[in-house]
Amino acid sequence: MKSYKNLKIVQFFLSLSKKQKIIYSSLFLLFVFSIFSIVVLFSLPKKTSSYLYFENQDYAEKVLYVNKTQKRGNVLPGKSAYFKFSKNQISSLEKFYSEYENFTVAARIGIKNPGKNLSSVILKENILNFAFLFPDDFDSSGKVKKSVEKIYASVNLSDFLKNGVFYFDLGLSSEKRLQNKDVPCGIEIISDLGVTVFDFLVTKARIGFDFTDSIPFFGSPSNGGKINVLGSDFDFSGGTLTFSPQWTKEFSMPYYEISFSKLSSYGTSENPVKIKLNAGGEILTIYRTPSVSACVIYSSMLNNPFSFFNLSQTENQITKLLLKPSEKSLSDENSFIPIKTDPGMILKTKADNWRNSEYELYEWDRFPHILFFDTKNFSVQSDFFTRLAFFAEKKGFIGKILTDSQLEGRHGYNAHDYSAKTLAEFFTKAEPMGVLNKKELLLKNILLKNGVIVQNGLSYLPGDGAVISFSKESPNYNRVTFLSHESWHALYFINEDFRNAVSAVYYTIDSQSRDFMIEYWQSQPSLNYEPSDIYLMNNEFMAYIMQQPLSSVSKYFVHLASRGSVMKALPELCDYVKETQGMTFEDAARIFDSYAFDNFGLACGRVHLIFR
């Protein structure tokens, strides 16, 4: 073997001076370092300028690109752009799904201004498609397979341009019960027009539209489809792929979040401004009031919650309609957490959609801590409230706790309402006696959980709010009246200004009409209110007047005065009401009606903002 010293390059190096050797050695090391750097550079992930953000997280990382054209987020007309997630991003997405059991990945997209060609561009459809990429979409070399079919969420860019919108957010939601291998590892975007993709955001699932921010959002179900970006309708039928269609131990049912625009006028109590929302064939009438800018409707309260929605509205009043996940804690059939809702949604909600087979618990979305119990039948309602009814309102029993044997055969009411003060006093007195049944103990725990009463050692103090109850066993026409009657009581409990307004009317109404009301309650054994309780008299006076529409008030009181049992007990007072045609009560109702509309956006006979 030749000695390495015989190699020409070695001989050349040895022949150099010391200074020349240093120069050549430096150049050689620089060459080696440059080659190494190039190799390392090409082996590093190819990052775009677009970041992937996660809801409620400060950390963000750039996504990767497949083709150089996507490095700056550019999507060329008619060309597919592929954005890949790093291993760390995929892991973060898996953790996000593990925590929330759903997600939406949305891209912020800008349409490149076609300039002078705008008028010709918007004459035809220009579609942008958005799809998830999965590991199976890539071949062994990391290239995207062309033959794989994908699910696309699509929008017509021309509709944006017609309305002068050049930026929007477009998202696609996950399916439920995903395995880690089913979590997307990238995004594909295909557009008929040139667009720029800025960033990506992962949030809890959002399906629908949202115009409340400066940049509108559109969220597609996981089965994709074309989205109407004008906000006049939306297809939610794919929502069952992301959310549970029923309450289970694993999953809660989602809710719709709705926001409204401000109006210059909201009408009058007799002719309020309203919107029609067709939810899968079920028409919802939404009354507008300046004090309410948003509401929620739980999917469990609709007949066809996962279906096509159509909005019959003027002035684009609905600015947000999103299907979103509710808290998992709601799914427990023994949950102490109420479903927040407008009272108008309670009446026709099917018991099959309740979380508990015997009752459902709601909270008035506008007035925190006012709870509604809708019970399966009178028997369940009686277990909850009959002992309380005698303690609170029955003449001769007020302040007394009756035993089960003393309650035997006695009737409470077909509907109930109780203030926080009355509830606290009842449980303070009844609990040490050991007479409370399972439903009453459940009621106590629900009240404590929701702050209606507060524990104070061995006693209870009033918190905030009130309790209302009625039953599915009552016919529908009675349930409408009961809802209105009991809800006005609850507002009376929590609102001092309303109480003062009621008192002013009560003491200025003519004495014979007021006497008729008081004597009527005494003549009916099923009512039997305590007349010395002025607070109760004021409250019932108001509720009996406001429980029906203004147009029905005088007729209602003439009808009461025409009942046989009432005429027999109060002949002269009944004659007076019939002779005056009940107009005294209608005059009082007009004052109440005006107050209710100005302060709550409500009216006599209407305690709801949503009706179906």
Side-chain angles (χ1 to χ4, degrees), residues 343-344 346-348 415 470-471 474-488 543 546-549 604-608 611-612:
I346 298 174
L347 293 173
K348 294 184 181 179
F470 42 87
S471 172
S474 293
N476 287 334
Y477 63 87
N478 276 348
R479 281 169 59 81
V480 172
T481 302
F482 289 157
L483 174 67
S484 181
H485 183 104
E486 309 304 342
S487 295
W488 287 124
M546 296 189 76
Q547 69 186 11
Q548 57 269 310
C604 285
R606 179 174 66 81
V607 294
H608 54 266
F611 192 72
R612 50 181 172 171

PDB file of all heavy atoms in Angstrom, residues 343-344 346-348 415 470-471 474-488 543 546-549 604-608 611-612:
ATOM      1  N   PRO A 343     -88.209  31.356  28.494  1.00  0.00           N
ATOM      2  CA  PRO A 343     -89.365  30.567  28.946  1.00  0.00           C
ATOM      3  C   PRO A 343     -90.232  30.027  27.819  1.00  0.00           C
ATOM      4  O   PRO A 343     -90.852  28.962  27.956  1.00  0.00           O
ATOM      5  CB  PRO A 343     -90.146  31.565  29.810  1.00  0.00           C
ATOM      6  CG  PRO A 343     -89.131  32.532  30.286  1.00  0.00           C
ATOM      7  CD  PRO A 343     -88.143  32.662  29.165  1.00  0.00           C
ATOM      8  N   GLY A 344     -90.298  30.761  26.706  1.00  0.00           N
ATOM      9  CA  GLY A 344     -91.142  30.319  25.606  1.00  0.00           C
ATOM     10  C   GLY A 344     -90.733  28.998  25.000  1.00  0.00           C
ATOM     11  O   GLY A 344     -91.539  28.327  24.345  1.00  0.00           O
ATOM     12  N   ILE A 346     -89.794  26.382  26.762  1.00  0.00           N
ATOM     13  CA  ILE A 346     -90.055  25.288  27.694  1.00  0.00           C
ATOM     14  C   ILE A 346     -91.343  24.544  27.356  1.00  0.00           C
ATOM     15  O   ILE A 346     -91.410  23.314  27.422  1.00  0.00           O
ATOM     16  CB  ILE A 346     -90.122  25.822  29.145  1.00  0.00           C
ATOM     17  CG1 ILE A 346     -88.778  26.434  29.548  1.00  0.00           C
ATOM     18  CG2 ILE A 346     -90.514  24.712  30.117  1.00  0.00           C
ATOM     19  CD1 ILE A 346     -88.807  27.105  30.913  1.00  0.00           C
ATOM     20  N   LEU A 347     -92.380  25.291  26.979  1.00  0.00           N
ATOM     21  CA  LEU A 347     -93.728  24.726  26.887  1.00  0.00           C
ATOM     22  C   LEU A 347     -93.825  23.496  26.000  1.00  0.00           C
ATOM     23  O   LEU A 347     -94.445  22.503  26.365  1.00  0.00           O
ATOM     24  CB  LEU A 347     -94.704  25.795  26.398  1.00  0.00           C
ATOM     25  CG  LEU A 347     -94.954  26.953  27.365  1.00  0.00           C
ATOM     26  CD1 LEU A 347     -95.797  28.026  26.705  1.00  0.00           C
ATOM     27  CD2 LEU A 347     -95.630  26.444  28.639  1.00  0.00           C
ATOM     28  N   LYS A 348     -93.242  23.545  24.810  1.00  0.00           N
ATOM     29  CA  LYS A 348     -93.418  22.466  23.852  1.00  0.00           C
ATOM     30  C   LYS A 348     -92.208  21.538  23.740  1.00  0.00           C
ATOM     31  O   LYS A 348     -92.131  20.713  22.829  1.00  0.00           O
ATOM     32  CB  LYS A 348     -93.758  23.044  22.472  1.00  0.00           C
ATOM     33  CG  LYS A 348     -95.113  23.744  22.439  1.00  0.00           C
ATOM     34  CD  LYS A 348     -95.467  24.222  21.041  1.00  0.00           C
ATOM     35  CE  LYS A 348     -96.813  24.937  21.024  1.00  0.00           C
ATOM     36  NZ  LYS A 348     -97.163  25.430  19.660  1.00  0.00           N
ATOM     37  N   ALA A 415     -99.659  24.776  39.631  1.00  0.00           N
ATOM     38  CA  ALA A 415     -98.426  25.487  39.271  1.00  0.00           C
ATOM     39  C   ALA A 415     -97.960  26.234  40.514  1.00  0.00           C
ATOM     40  O   ALA A 415     -98.769  26.587  41.378  1.00  0.00           O
ATOM     41  CB  ALA A 415     -98.669  26.444  38.104  1.00  0.00           C
ATOM     42  N   PHE A 470     -94.495  23.919  36.893  1.00  0.00           N
ATOM     43  CA  PHE A 470     -95.762  23.477  36.324  1.00  0.00           C
ATOM     44  C   PHE A 470     -95.533  22.082  35.772  1.00  0.00           C
ATOM     45  O   PHE A 470     -94.411  21.567  35.799  1.00  0.00           O
ATOM     46  CB  PHE A 470     -96.300  24.440  35.257  1.00  0.00           C
ATOM     47  CG  PHE A 470     -95.266  24.969  34.321  1.00  0.00           C
ATOM     48  CD1 PHE A 470     -94.927  24.286  33.177  1.00  0.00           C
ATOM     49  CD2 PHE A 470     -94.646  26.187  34.579  1.00  0.00           C
ATOM     50  CE1 PHE A 470     -93.981  24.778  32.305  1.00  0.00           C
ATOM     51  CE2 PHE A 470     -93.689  26.689  33.706  1.00  0.00           C
ATOM     52  CZ  PHE A 470     -93.358  25.980  32.562  1.00  0.00           C
ATOM     53  N   SER A 471     -96.609  21.450  35.265  1.00  0.00           N
ATOM     54  CA  SER A 471     -96.526  20.040  34.918  1.00  0.00           C
ATOM     55  C   SER A 471     -96.992  19.759  33.499  1.00  0.00           C
ATOM     56  O   SER A 471     -97.865  20.445  32.956  1.00  0.00           O
ATOM     57  CB  SER A 471     -97.380  19.228  35.900  1.00  0.00           C
ATOM     58  OG  SER A 471     -97.470  17.872  35.490  1.00  0.00           O
ATOM     59  N   SER A 474    -100.819  19.185  32.886  1.00  0.00           N
ATOM     60  CA  SER A 474    -101.756  20.266  32.590  1.00  0.00           C
ATOM     61  C   SER A 474    -101.942  20.369  31.082  1.00  0.00           C
ATOM     62  O   SER A 474    -100.987  20.203  30.320  1.00  0.00           O
ATOM     63  CB  SER A 474    -101.229  21.601  33.120  1.00  0.00           C
ATOM     64  OG  SER A 474    -101.188  21.621  34.516  1.00  0.00           O
ATOM     65  N   PRO A 475    -103.153  20.666  30.609  1.00  0.00           N
ATOM     66  CA  PRO A 475    -103.353  20.860  29.169  1.00  0.00           C
ATOM     67  C   PRO A 475    -102.549  22.059  28.680  1.00  0.00           C
ATOM     68  O   PRO A 475    -102.232  22.970  29.447  1.00  0.00           O
ATOM     69  CB  PRO A 475    -104.860  21.093  29.047  1.00  0.00           C
ATOM     70  CG  PRO A 475    -105.319  21.491  30.412  1.00  0.00           C
ATOM     71  CD  PRO A 475    -104.399  20.821  31.368  1.00  0.00           C
ATOM     72  N   ASN A 476    -102.239  22.067  27.386  1.00  0.00           N
ATOM     73  CA  ASN A 476    -101.357  23.091  26.828  1.00  0.00           C
ATOM     74  C   ASN A 476    -101.845  24.504  27.071  1.00  0.00           C
ATOM     75  O   ASN A 476    -101.059  25.411  27.366  1.00  0.00           O
ATOM     76  CB  ASN A 476    -101.155  22.848  25.329  1.00  0.00           C
ATOM     77  CG  ASN A 476    -100.252  21.661  25.053  1.00  0.00           C
ATOM     78  OD1 ASN A 476     -99.409  21.314  25.881  1.00  0.00           O
ATOM     79  ND2 ASN A 476    -100.423  21.021  23.909  1.00  0.00           N
ATOM     80  N   TYR A 477    -103.176  24.735  26.944  1.00  0.00           N
ATOM     81  CA  TYR A 477    -103.676  26.100  27.119  1.00  0.00           C
ATOM     82  C   TYR A 477    -103.469  26.566  28.563  1.00  0.00           C
ATOM     83  O   TYR A 477    -103.236  27.759  28.821  1.00  0.00           O
ATOM     84  CB  TYR A 477    -105.151  26.198  26.705  1.00  0.00           C
ATOM     85  CG  TYR A 477    -106.124  25.382  27.520  1.00  0.00           C
ATOM     86  CD1 TYR A 477    -106.697  25.895  28.690  1.00  0.00           C
ATOM     87  CD2 TYR A 477    -106.484  24.096  27.122  1.00  0.00           C
ATOM     88  CE1 TYR A 477    -107.588  25.153  29.436  1.00  0.00           C
ATOM     89  CE2 TYR A 477    -107.387  23.342  27.863  1.00  0.00           C
ATOM     90  CZ  TYR A 477    -107.939  23.873  29.015  1.00  0.00           C
ATOM     91  OH  TYR A 477    -108.825  23.135  29.754  1.00  0.00           O
ATOM     92  N   ASN A 478    -103.551  25.631  29.518  1.00  0.00           N
ATOM     93  CA  ASN A 478    -103.284  25.994  30.909  1.00  0.00           C
ATOM     94  C   ASN A 478    -101.795  26.233  31.146  1.00  0.00           C
ATOM     95  O   ASN A 478    -101.420  27.122  31.920  1.00  0.00           O
ATOM     96  CB  ASN A 478    -103.773  24.902  31.856  1.00  0.00           C
ATOM     97  CG  ASN A 478    -105.250  25.040  32.186  1.00  0.00           C
ATOM     98  OD1 ASN A 478    -105.851  26.056  31.892  1.00  0.00           O
ATOM     99  ND2 ASN A 478    -105.837  24.012  32.787  1.00  0.00           N
ATOM    100  N   ARG A 479    -100.953  25.436  30.494  1.00  0.00           N
ATOM    101  CA  ARG A 479     -99.508  25.599  30.661  1.00  0.00           C
ATOM    102  C   ARG A 479     -99.061  26.991  30.190  1.00  0.00           C
ATOM    103  O   ARG A 479     -98.172  27.604  30.803  1.00  0.00           O
ATOM    104  CB  ARG A 479     -98.756  24.509  29.900  1.00  0.00           C
ATOM    105  CG  ARG A 479     -98.731  23.176  30.630  1.00  0.00           C
ATOM    106  CD  ARG A 479     -98.210  22.040  29.755  1.00  0.00           C
ATOM    107  NE  ARG A 479     -96.862  22.251  29.258  1.00  0.00           N
ATOM    108  CZ  ARG A 479     -95.750  22.017  29.948  1.00  0.00           C
ATOM    109  NH1 ARG A 479     -95.837  21.588  31.208  1.00  0.00           N
ATOM    110  NH2 ARG A 479     -94.560  22.201  29.406  1.00  0.00           N
ATOM    111  N   VAL A 480     -99.668  27.480  29.117  1.00  0.00           N
ATOM    112  CA  VAL A 480     -99.338  28.825  28.624  1.00  0.00           C
ATOM    113  C   VAL A 480     -99.675  29.864  29.686  1.00  0.00           C
ATOM    114  O   VAL A 480     -98.868  30.750  29.994  1.00  0.00           O
ATOM    115  CB  VAL A 480    -100.089  29.127  27.313  1.00  0.00           C
ATOM    116  CG1 VAL A 480     -99.902  30.581  26.918  1.00  0.00           C
ATOM    117  CG2 VAL A 480     -99.618  28.208  26.195  1.00  0.00           C
ATOM    118  N   THR A 481    -100.870  29.748  30.270  1.00  0.00           N
ATOM    119  CA  THR A 481    -101.288  30.689  31.310  1.00  0.00           C
ATOM    120  C   THR A 481    -100.426  30.539  32.560  1.00  0.00           C
ATOM    121  O   THR A 481    -100.008  31.536  33.166  1.00  0.00           O
ATOM    122  CB  THR A 481    -102.768  30.468  31.669  1.00  0.00           C
ATOM    123  OG1 THR A 481    -103.565  30.621  30.497  1.00  0.00           O
ATOM    124  CG2 THR A 481    -103.230  31.469  32.720  1.00  0.00           C
ATOM    125  N   PHE A 482    -100.173  29.292  32.964  1.00  0.00           N
ATOM    126  CA  PHE A 482     -99.353  29.053  34.155  1.00  0.00           C
ATOM    127  C   PHE A 482     -97.951  29.650  33.990  1.00  0.00           C
ATOM    128  O   PHE A 482     -97.418  30.264  34.918  1.00  0.00           O
ATOM    129  CB  PHE A 482     -99.231  27.554  34.432  1.00  0.00           C
ATOM    130  CG  PHE A 482    -100.504  26.914  34.923  1.00  0.00           C
ATOM    131  CD1 PHE A 482    -100.709  25.545  34.779  1.00  0.00           C
ATOM    132  CD2 PHE A 482    -101.493  27.664  35.540  1.00  0.00           C
ATOM    133  CE1 PHE A 482    -101.877  24.940  35.228  1.00  0.00           C
ATOM    134  CE2 PHE A 482    -102.670  27.069  36.002  1.00  0.00           C
ATOM    135  CZ  PHE A 482    -102.857  25.706  35.840  1.00  0.00           C
ATOM    136  N   LEU A 483     -97.370  29.436  32.820  1.00  0.00           N
ATOM    137  CA  LEU A 483     -96.018  29.966  32.578  1.00  0.00           C
ATOM    138  C   LEU A 483     -96.007  31.472  32.752  1.00  0.00           C
ATOM    139  O   LEU A 483     -95.124  32.030  33.416  1.00  0.00           O
ATOM    140  CB  LEU A 483     -95.546  29.588  31.171  1.00  0.00           C
ATOM    141  CG  LEU A 483     -94.210  30.207  30.742  1.00  0.00           C
ATOM    142  CD1 LEU A 483     -93.066  29.642  31.583  1.00  0.00           C
ATOM    143  CD2 LEU A 483     -93.940  29.972  29.263  1.00  0.00           C
ATOM    144  N   SER A 484     -96.995  32.127  32.152  1.00  0.00           N
ATOM    145  CA  SER A 484     -97.058  33.580  32.253  1.00  0.00           C
ATOM    146  C   SER A 484     -97.298  34.016  33.694  1.00  0.00           C
ATOM    147  O   SER A 484     -96.569  34.871  34.232  1.00  0.00           O
ATOM    148  CB  SER A 484     -98.175  34.094  31.342  1.00  0.00           C
ATOM    149  OG  SER A 484     -98.256  35.497  31.397  1.00  0.00           O
ATOM    150  N   HIS A 485     -98.310  33.429  34.335  1.00  0.00           N
ATOM    151  CA  HIS A 485     -98.679  33.797  35.708  1.00  0.00           C
ATOM    152  C   HIS A 485     -97.500  33.637  36.671  1.00  0.00           C
ATOM    153  O   HIS A 485     -97.150  34.572  37.417  1.00  0.00           O
ATOM    154  CB  HIS A 485     -99.855  32.915  36.148  1.00  0.00           C
ATOM    155  CG  HIS A 485    -100.390  33.232  37.509  1.00  0.00           C
ATOM    156  ND1 HIS A 485    -101.566  33.910  37.699  1.00  0.00           N
ATOM    157  CD2 HIS A 485     -99.914  32.938  38.756  1.00  0.00           C
ATOM    158  CE1 HIS A 485    -101.793  34.042  39.000  1.00  0.00           C
ATOM    159  NE2 HIS A 485    -100.808  33.443  39.655  1.00  0.00           N
ATOM    160  N   GLU A 486     -96.878  32.476  36.648  1.00  0.00           N
ATOM    161  CA  GLU A 486     -95.799  32.195  37.604  1.00  0.00           C
ATOM    162  C   GLU A 486     -94.538  33.008  37.298  1.00  0.00           C
ATOM    163  O   GLU A 486     -93.801  33.400  38.205  1.00  0.00           O
ATOM    164  CB  GLU A 486     -95.473  30.703  37.625  1.00  0.00           C
ATOM    165  CG  GLU A 486     -96.661  29.768  37.814  1.00  0.00           C
ATOM    166  CD  GLU A 486     -97.470  30.049  39.077  1.00  0.00           C
ATOM    167  OE1 GLU A 486     -96.970  30.714  39.981  1.00  0.00           O
ATOM    168  OE2 GLU A 486     -98.626  29.596  39.149  1.00  0.00           O
ATOM    169  N   SER A 487     -94.303  33.279  36.029  1.00  0.00           N
ATOM    170  CA  SER A 487     -93.115  34.053  35.659  1.00  0.00           C
ATOM    171  C   SER A 487     -93.241  35.506  36.109  1.00  0.00           C
ATOM    172  O   SER A 487     -92.257  36.122  36.541  1.00  0.00           O
ATOM    173  CB  SER A 487     -92.897  33.993  34.147  1.00  0.00           C
ATOM    174  OG  SER A 487     -92.607  32.682  33.727  1.00  0.00           O
ATOM    175  N   TRP A 488     -94.456  36.051  36.029  1.00  0.00           N
ATOM    176  CA  TRP A 488     -94.642  37.412  36.537  1.00  0.00           C
ATOM    177  C   TRP A 488     -94.411  37.448  38.046  1.00  0.00           C
ATOM    178  O   TRP A 488     -93.843  38.424  38.574  1.00  0.00           O
ATOM    179  CB  TRP A 488     -96.045  37.919  36.203  1.00  0.00           C
ATOM    180  CG  TRP A 488     -96.256  38.264  34.755  1.00  0.00           C
ATOM    181  CD1 TRP A 488     -97.206  37.764  33.912  1.00  0.00           C
ATOM    182  CD2 TRP A 488     -95.492  39.194  33.981  1.00  0.00           C
ATOM    183  NE1 TRP A 488     -97.072  38.310  32.656  1.00  0.00           N
ATOM    184  CE2 TRP A 488     -96.031  39.200  32.671  1.00  0.00           C
ATOM    185  CE3 TRP A 488     -94.404  40.024  34.263  1.00  0.00           C
ATOM    186  CZ2 TRP A 488     -95.520  39.999  31.655  1.00  0.00           C
ATOM    187  CZ3 TRP A 488     -93.886  40.821  33.245  1.00  0.00           C
ATOM    188  CH2 TRP A 488     -94.435  40.809  31.965  1.00  0.00           C
ATOM    189  N   ALA A 543    -100.480  39.266  38.858  1.00  0.00           N
ATOM    190  CA  ALA A 543    -100.322  38.070  38.025  1.00  0.00           C
ATOM    191  C   ALA A 543    -101.625  37.654  37.365  1.00  0.00           C
ATOM    192  O   ALA A 543    -101.629  37.199  36.217  1.00  0.00           O
ATOM    193  CB  ALA A 543     -99.765  36.920  38.869  1.00  0.00           C
ATOM    194  N   MET A 546    -101.971  40.044  34.440  1.00  0.00           N
ATOM    195  CA  MET A 546    -100.945  39.970  33.397  1.00  0.00           C
ATOM    196  C   MET A 546    -100.773  38.576  32.792  1.00  0.00           C
ATOM    197  O   MET A 546     -99.959  38.401  31.886  1.00  0.00           O
ATOM    198  CB  MET A 546     -99.604  40.450  33.955  1.00  0.00           C
ATOM    199  CG  MET A 546     -99.597  41.906  34.373  1.00  0.00           C
ATOM    200  SD  MET A 546     -97.944  42.506  34.781  1.00  0.00           S
ATOM    201  CE  MET A 546     -97.238  42.689  33.147  1.00  0.00           C
ATOM    202  N   GLN A 547    -101.532  37.589  33.264  1.00  0.00           N
ATOM    203  CA  GLN A 547    -101.327  36.231  32.768  1.00  0.00           C
ATOM    204  C   GLN A 547    -101.896  36.010  31.365  1.00  0.00           C
ATOM    205  O   GLN A 547    -101.595  35.021  30.712  1.00  0.00           O
ATOM    206  CB  GLN A 547    -101.945  35.223  33.733  1.00  0.00           C
ATOM    207  CG  GLN A 547    -103.473  35.254  33.781  1.00  0.00           C
ATOM    208  CD  GLN A 547    -104.038  34.349  34.859  1.00  0.00           C
ATOM    209  OE1 GLN A 547    -103.310  33.840  35.709  1.00  0.00           O
ATOM    210  NE2 GLN A 547    -105.341  34.136  34.830  1.00  0.00           N
ATOM    211  N   GLN A 548    -102.736  36.922  30.886  1.00  0.00           N
ATOM    212  CA  GLN A 548    -103.298  36.796  29.541  1.00  0.00           C
ATOM    213  C   GLN A 548    -103.025  38.079  28.753  1.00  0.00           C
ATOM    214  O   GLN A 548    -102.713  39.125  29.334  1.00  0.00           O
ATOM    215  CB  GLN A 548    -104.798  36.520  29.574  1.00  0.00           C
ATOM    216  CG  GLN A 548    -105.624  37.546  30.303  1.00  0.00           C
ATOM    217  CD  GLN A 548    -105.792  37.212  31.756  1.00  0.00           C
ATOM    218  OE1 GLN A 548    -106.157  36.108  32.117  1.00  0.00           O
ATOM    219  NE2 GLN A 548    -105.490  38.178  32.624  1.00  0.00           N
ATOM    220  N   PRO A 549    -103.150  38.022  27.422  1.00  0.00           N
ATOM    221  CA  PRO A 549    -102.915  39.214  26.598  1.00  0.00           C
ATOM    222  C   PRO A 549    -103.856  40.352  26.973  1.00  0.00           C
ATOM    223  O   PRO A 549    -104.961  40.123  27.489  1.00  0.00           O
ATOM    224  CB  PRO A 549    -103.185  38.727  25.174  1.00  0.00           C
ATOM    225  CG  PRO A 549    -103.011  37.251  25.230  1.00  0.00           C
ATOM    226  CD  PRO A 549    -103.436  36.836  26.594  1.00  0.00           C
ATOM    227  N   CYS A 604     -98.290  41.843  28.608  1.00  0.00           N
ATOM    228  CA  CYS A 604     -99.299  41.001  29.261  1.00  0.00           C
ATOM    229  C   CYS A 604     -99.515  39.737  28.429  1.00  0.00           C
ATOM    230  O   CYS A 604     -99.688  39.803  27.211  1.00  0.00           O
ATOM    231  CB  CYS A 604    -100.615  41.765  29.380  1.00  0.00           C
ATOM    232  SG  CYS A 604    -100.630  43.032  30.653  1.00  0.00           S
ATOM    233  N   GLY A 605     -99.479  38.604  29.109  1.00  0.00           N
ATOM    234  CA  GLY A 605     -99.652  37.334  28.415  1.00  0.00           C
ATOM    235  C   GLY A 605     -98.419  36.847  27.692  1.00  0.00           C
ATOM    236  O   GLY A 605     -98.433  35.764  27.096  1.00  0.00           O
ATOM    237  N   ARG A 606     -97.318  37.621  27.740  1.00  0.00           N
ATOM    238  CA  ARG A 606     -96.094  37.197  27.027  1.00  0.00           C
ATOM    239  C   ARG A 606     -94.865  37.466  27.893  1.00  0.00           C
ATOM    240  O   ARG A 606     -94.405  38.601  27.990  1.00  0.00           O
ATOM    241  CB  ARG A 606     -95.956  37.920  25.686  1.00  0.00           C
ATOM    242  CG  ARG A 606     -94.685  37.513  24.927  1.00  0.00           C
ATOM    243  CD  ARG A 606     -94.634  38.114  23.529  1.00  0.00           C
ATOM    244  NE  ARG A 606     -94.510  39.556  23.526  1.00  0.00           N
ATOM    245  CZ  ARG A 606     -93.367  40.211  23.703  1.00  0.00           C
ATOM    246  NH1 ARG A 606     -92.245  39.551  23.946  1.00  0.00           N
ATOM    247  NH2 ARG A 606     -93.355  41.534  23.660  1.00  0.00           N
ATOM    248  N   VAL A 607     -94.351  36.409  28.503  1.00  0.00           N
ATOM    249  CA  VAL A 607     -93.118  36.527  29.290  1.00  0.00           C
ATOM    250  C   VAL A 607     -91.923  35.997  28.515  1.00  0.00           C
ATOM    251  O   VAL A 607     -90.828  35.872  29.051  1.00  0.00           O
ATOM    252  CB  VAL A 607     -93.232  35.769  30.637  1.00  0.00           C
ATOM    253  CG1 VAL A 607     -94.255  36.418  31.532  1.00  0.00           C
ATOM    254  CG2 VAL A 607     -93.573  34.304  30.391  1.00  0.00           C
ATOM    255  N   HIS A 608     -92.151  35.674  27.258  1.00  0.00           N
ATOM    256  CA  HIS A 608     -91.106  35.072  26.438  1.00  0.00           C
ATOM    257  C   HIS A 608     -90.644  36.029  25.344  1.00  0.00           C
ATOM    258  O   HIS A 608     -91.377  36.926  24.935  1.00  0.00           O
ATOM    259  CB  HIS A 608     -91.627  33.788  25.777  1.00  0.00           C
ATOM    260  CG  HIS A 608     -92.892  34.010  25.010  1.00  0.00           C
ATOM    261  ND1 HIS A 608     -94.140  33.793  25.563  1.00  0.00           N
ATOM    262  CD2 HIS A 608     -93.099  34.453  23.746  1.00  0.00           C
ATOM    263  CE1 HIS A 608     -95.073  34.094  24.668  1.00  0.00           C
ATOM    264  NE2 HIS A 608     -94.471  34.488  23.553  1.00  0.00           N
ATOM    265  N   PHE A 611     -91.024  32.190  20.773  1.00  0.00           N
ATOM    266  CA  PHE A 611     -92.272  31.435  20.837  1.00  0.00           C
ATOM    267  C   PHE A 611     -92.387  30.548  19.608  1.00  0.00           C
ATOM    268  O   PHE A 611     -91.906  30.903  18.535  1.00  0.00           O
ATOM    269  CB  PHE A 611     -93.475  32.375  20.912  1.00  0.00           C
ATOM    270  CG  PHE A 611     -94.763  31.680  21.266  1.00  0.00           C
ATOM    271  CD1 PHE A 611     -94.978  31.219  22.551  1.00  0.00           C
ATOM    272  CD2 PHE A 611     -95.748  31.484  20.308  1.00  0.00           C
ATOM    273  CE1 PHE A 611     -96.148  30.574  22.896  1.00  0.00           C
ATOM    274  CE2 PHE A 611     -96.926  30.838  20.639  1.00  0.00           C
ATOM    275  CZ  PHE A 611     -97.128  30.379  21.934  1.00  0.00           C
ATOM    276  N   ARG A 612     -93.023  29.381  19.775  1.00  0.00           N
ATOM    277  CA  ARG A 612     -93.209  28.476  18.633  1.00  0.00           C
ATOM    278  C   ARG A 612     -94.613  27.888  18.644  1.00  0.00           C
ATOM    279  O   ARG A 612     -95.250  27.840  19.682  1.00  0.00           O
ATOM    280  CB  ARG A 612     -92.173  27.360  18.673  1.00  0.00           C
ATOM    281  CG  ARG A 612     -92.050  26.642  20.024  1.00  0.00           C
ATOM    282  CD  ARG A 612     -90.998  25.574  19.975  1.00  0.00           C
ATOM    283  NE  ARG A 612     -90.746  25.012  21.298  1.00  0.00           N
ATOM    284  CZ  ARG A 612     -89.989  23.950  21.499  1.00  0.00           C
ATOM    285  NH1 ARG A 612     -89.405  23.359  20.496  1.00  0.00           N
ATOM    286  NH2 ARG A 612     -89.788  23.478  22.705  1.00  0.00           N
TER     287      ARG A 612
END
